Amino acid sequence: MQLSVIDKVFLLGALVARVTATPTSSSGISVSVNPRVQFQEVDGFGASQAFQRAEDIFGKYGLPAVNQSLVLDLLYNENVGAGFTILRNGIGSSNTSNSNLMNSIEPKNPGGSNATPEYVWDHYNSGQFPLAEQAYSRGLHTLYANAWSAPGYMKTNNDENNGGYLCGVANEPCASGNWMQAYANYLVQYARFYKESGVTVTHLGFLNEPQFAATYAGMLSNGTQAAEFIRVLAKTVKKSGLDVKITCCDGIGWDDQEAMMAGLNAGPDPAINYLDVVTGHGYDSAPSYPLSTNKKTWQSEWADLSGGYTPYDFYKNGGPGEGLTWANHIQVALRDAGVSGFLYWIGAENSTTNSGLINLINNEVIPSKRFWSFAQFSRFVRPGARRIEAASTYANLTVSSFKNKDGRLATQLINQGDSTIEANVRIAGLKSGVWVKPYITNNEFNLEPLTAVVSKNGGAFQANVPARSMVTYVSV
Ligand SMILES: *[C@@H]1O[C@H](CO)[C@@H](O)[C@H](O)[C@H]1NC(C)=O
Ligand SMILES: *[C@@H]1O[C@H](CO)[C@@H](O)[C@H](O)[C@H]1NC(C)=O
Ligand SMILES: *[C@@H]1O[C@H](CO)[C@@H](O)[C@H](O)[C@H]1NC(C)=O
Ligand SMILES: *[C@@H]1O[C@H](CO)[C@@H](O)[C@H](O)[C@H]1NC(C)=O
Ligand SMILES: *[C@@H]1O[C@H](CO)[C@@H](O)[C@H](O)[C@H]1NC(C)=O
């Protein structure tokens, strides 16, 4: 392959960012990648800006306009930042926009489950509507609209908070009637408002962490109850003519979601048949095995909620908010759980904790090392990519690899240990003379290009991964 102008520019840039670690002598460690053995399709990576975090980006706390654009570019522009392609919106159930509440499109009880609803649409949606527009204009593919709860008047406890069930699911009757159809209509109306305003909702979910009666918006459900509602929602979506895919159930942890699979898979008319994606979170139990389904799965929310603030540590002591910790969570979920999507909780927010990927503090934009770990995957593993077979002969050098729709390969090598690793990488079918471009994140660098290498016969090249570092090798 000829050296293009872009490659030359790239090489010049790369001189600036040479790795400082001294390479060890040839180690005998090898990595093999086989693009002919393919696994799950990737939908993408992302986060949420629910509970008014979208408004943080738009200056709720005074973030200057120039830094509002910077955050949007870091999140959604693949040439500047992570190039996230999935945004998870919260479908609000609140009757106000006070504090960080998400206002509902049906704030008032229409007077009964069969009464005509009074929908309201403010083209703002707690900042999430303009955010979705900005994200799509930068390359978003997937807008996942997810309700934490139905409005309180549709629930057994008459409250959007503190658990409660959707009126009408098994064993949960209400004096006010069966609200399943009304809730399905309401969710579809949310997608319709977006569509009529020029923004496509691609996926629709109706539960969040249904194992847990939170003091904030939430709703309880087991797998059987979720399945009953999915059948109603699927009919309603079909009738609406909207092209919206249905997800379930955003269980708190991967084990919680697995526990719901029996209910989704059961019966003469299994609800799983109406789902496109099964969603589960990573709290309590991490995605380290495939859920019991042939459908796509997403790890749709997870974060370090310990309250710590470690934006600058890729590796310090393996703490829950460090970049290396999240590089590993993502790699394990993709490789061992076979997920097609991986989302952090918040993308950017005004806080000094690890619950977001980017901290907005006063006027400043502070991308964490976690953010760059996400970007090591998301910038190079694009929607439609397939995970491909990849193996390493050394336990402290972990590997994953993907083939993009355009043929571009992205291989992630993570050095878990405290000395530099040199490895012989061989990619089956890779021609000789192909430029392979490495990008590194560690304590020193953020997604920094390194000197490109050229493949030899048999698609082989030498990889040099410094201690406690992640390097993504991108080849065409
Ligand atoms: C934004 O966050 C910073 C850091 O936590 C805090 O000092 C500041 O008060 C916040 N801004 C507002 C308006 O709350
Ligand atoms: C609004 O919602 C809150 C919390 O669910 C509830 O306590 C309150 O009664 C509601 N107000 C109105 C006017 O419906
Ligand atoms: C879910 O709850 C309903 C109502 O309590 C019960 O009938 C059903 O057996 C439960 N399903 C599962 C899978 O636990
Ligand atoms: C924007 O954020 C950067 C840090 O990312 C900071 O250096 C800069 O001062 C901020 N710009 C303004 C106008 O406050
Ligand atoms: C792997 O990395 C860990 C953590 O740095 C280290 O303790 C261990 O010695 C390494 N294993 C080998 C075989 O080098």
Side-chain angles (χ1 to χ4, degrees):
M1 205 180 110
Q2 292 299 308
L3 192 61
S4 70
V5 174
I6 290 171
D7 288 319
K8 284 174 189 159
V9 170
F10 170 82
L11 283 172
L12 286 174
L15 295 176
V16 189
R18 262 182 214 285
V19 181
T20 47
T22 336
T24 56
S25 57
S26 188
S27 56
I29 295 168
S30 62
V31 168
S32 56
V33 175
N34 186 356
R36 287 184 208 96
V37 181
Q38 304 199 343
F39 304 100
Q40 81 270 20
E41 185 188 33
V42 173
D43 291 328
F45 304 84
S48 181
Q49 297 293 142
F51 293 94
Q52 297 193 20
R53 289 345 187 261
E55 301 193 51
D56 290 16
I57 295 179
F58 292 124
K60 184 179 183 181
Y61 298 113
L63 190 71
V66 60
N67 275 354
Q68 296 179 24
S69 310
L70 175 61
V71 179
L72 292 167
D73 284 340
L74 284 169
L75 289 172
Y76 302 110
N77 182 329
E78 66 176 301
N79 300 310
V80 176
F84 283 156
T85 54
I86 305 180
L87 170 61
R88 178 175 174 233
N89 270 11
I91 300 177
S93 48
S94 303
N95 54 24
T96 80
S97 295
N98 291 342
S99 176
N100 65 6
L101 297 177
M102 299 183 285
N103 61 306
S104 169
I105 59 164
E106 193 184 353
K108 282 194 228 134
N109 185 342
S113 56
N114 294 318
T116 306
E118 252 184 74
Y119 295 125
V120 290
W121 176 230
D122 60 10
H123 291 87
Y124 188 63
N125 201 223
S126 302
Q128 297 175 111
F129 180 76
L131 175 67
E133 289 183 305
Q134 291 296 323
Y136 269 120
S137 77
R138 287 167 170 80
L140 193 81
H141 282 235
T142 298
L143 181 56
Y144 174 30
N146 188 193
W148 265 243
S149 173
Y153 54 80
M154 296 188 185
K155 295 168 67 185
T156 52
N157 62 342
N158 198 32
D159 184 356
E160 61 163 331
N161 308 318
N162 304 308
Y165 292 82
L166 179 63
C167 292
V169 298
N171 256 2
E172 301 295 342
C174 292
S176 61
N178 181 329
W179 288 80
M180 287 204 285
Q181 185 61 56
Y183 186 41
N185 294 344
Y186 163 91
L187 295 169
V188 165
Q189 184 59 38
Y190 180 94
R192 192 179 283 123
F193 277 140
Y194 265 67
K195 186 175 184 189
E196 286 168 358
S197 309
V199 171
T200 304
V201 170
T202 59
H203 293 72
L204 199 52
F206 60 97
L207 289 173
N208 175 70
E209 304 188 345
Q211 296 80 15
F212 172 50
T215 55
Y216 48 86
M219 190 161 75
L220 302 176
S221 177
N222 69 15
T224 308
Q225 292 161 328
E228 288 177 84
F229 181 69
I230 289 165
R231 293 185 194 101
V232 176
L233 181 59
K235 283 196 190 82
T236 309
V237 167
K238 194 169 178 196
K239 217 170 126 194
S240 76
L242 291 173
D243 182 17
V244 182
K245 298 175 162 88
I246 302 173
T247 74
C248 194
C249 317
D250 285 83
I252 300 179
W254 209 242
D255 293 350
D256 298 306
Q257 187 53 46
E258 176 61 17
M260 295 183 80
M261 296 314 299
L264 299 180
N265 290 328
D269 183 18
I272 192 78
N273 293 343
Y274 302 110
L275 298 182
D276 269 82
V277 183
V278 177
T279 49
H281 297 179
Y283 305 111
D284 302 348
S285 48
S288 59
Y289 60 90
L291 294 175
S292 298
T293 181
N294 294 324
K295 298 286 175 170
K296 278 184 173 171
T297 61
W298 295 348
Q299 186 294 109
S300 51
E301 185 191 321
W302 194 5
D304 169 23
L305 300 182
S306 67
Y309 180 58
T310 56
Y312 306 112
D313 296 325
F314 185 75
Y315 179 81
K316 191 174 182 187
N317 52 30
E322 293 176 16
L324 178 57
T325 300
W326 285 88
N328 286 326
H329 286 331
I330 299 168
Q331 191 173 59
V332 167
L334 289 163
R335 190 192 59 209
D336 300 345
V339 302
S340 293
F342 192 102
L343 282 71
Y344 203 71
W345 168 210
I346 299 291
E349 66 176 353
N350 185 66
S351 93
T352 46
T353 70
N354 289 339
S355 56
L357 293 174
I358 298 176
N359 295 88
L360 310 174
I361 299 179
N362 301 319
N363 294 337
E364 280 186 58
V365 178
I366 303 169
S368 66
K369 291 291 181 179
R370 295 182 302 285
F371 172 79
W372 294 114
S373 292
F374 266 76
Q376 288 273 148
F377 289 92
S378 58
R379 194 190 276 187
F380 310 110
V381 180
R382 306 300 298 167
R386 289 260 171 199
R387 187 169 66 83
I388 58 180
E389 191 175 71
S392 158
T393 59
Y394 182 50
N396 272 357
L397 184 67
T398 58
V399 61
S400 46
S401 190
F402 298 83
K403 182 173 185 175
N404 283 288
K405 278 198 297 193
D406 64 4
R408 199 166 54 140
L409 303 174
T411 300
Q412 302 79 29
L413 295 180
I414 305 177
N415 183 346
Q416 315 284 346
D418 42 27
S419 54
T420 297
I421 296 174
E422 270 205 354
N424 297 304
V425 180
R426 208 186 81 82
I427 300 183
L430 185 70
K431 295 195 179 73
S432 65
V434 174
W435 287 97
V436 181
K437 303 175 178 183
Y439 296 80
I440 188 169
T441 294
N442 58 15
N443 279 342
E444 193 178 353
F445 295 117
N446 299 325
L447 198 67
E448 194 69 30
L450 299 173
T451 309
V453 295
V454 183
S455 62
K456 298 198 251 323
N457 283 341
F461 60 90
Q462 196 72 13
N464 185 311
V465 187
R468 315 283 190 188
S469 300
M470 173 168 183
V471 180
T472 302
Y473 288 85
V474 185
S475 50
V476 243

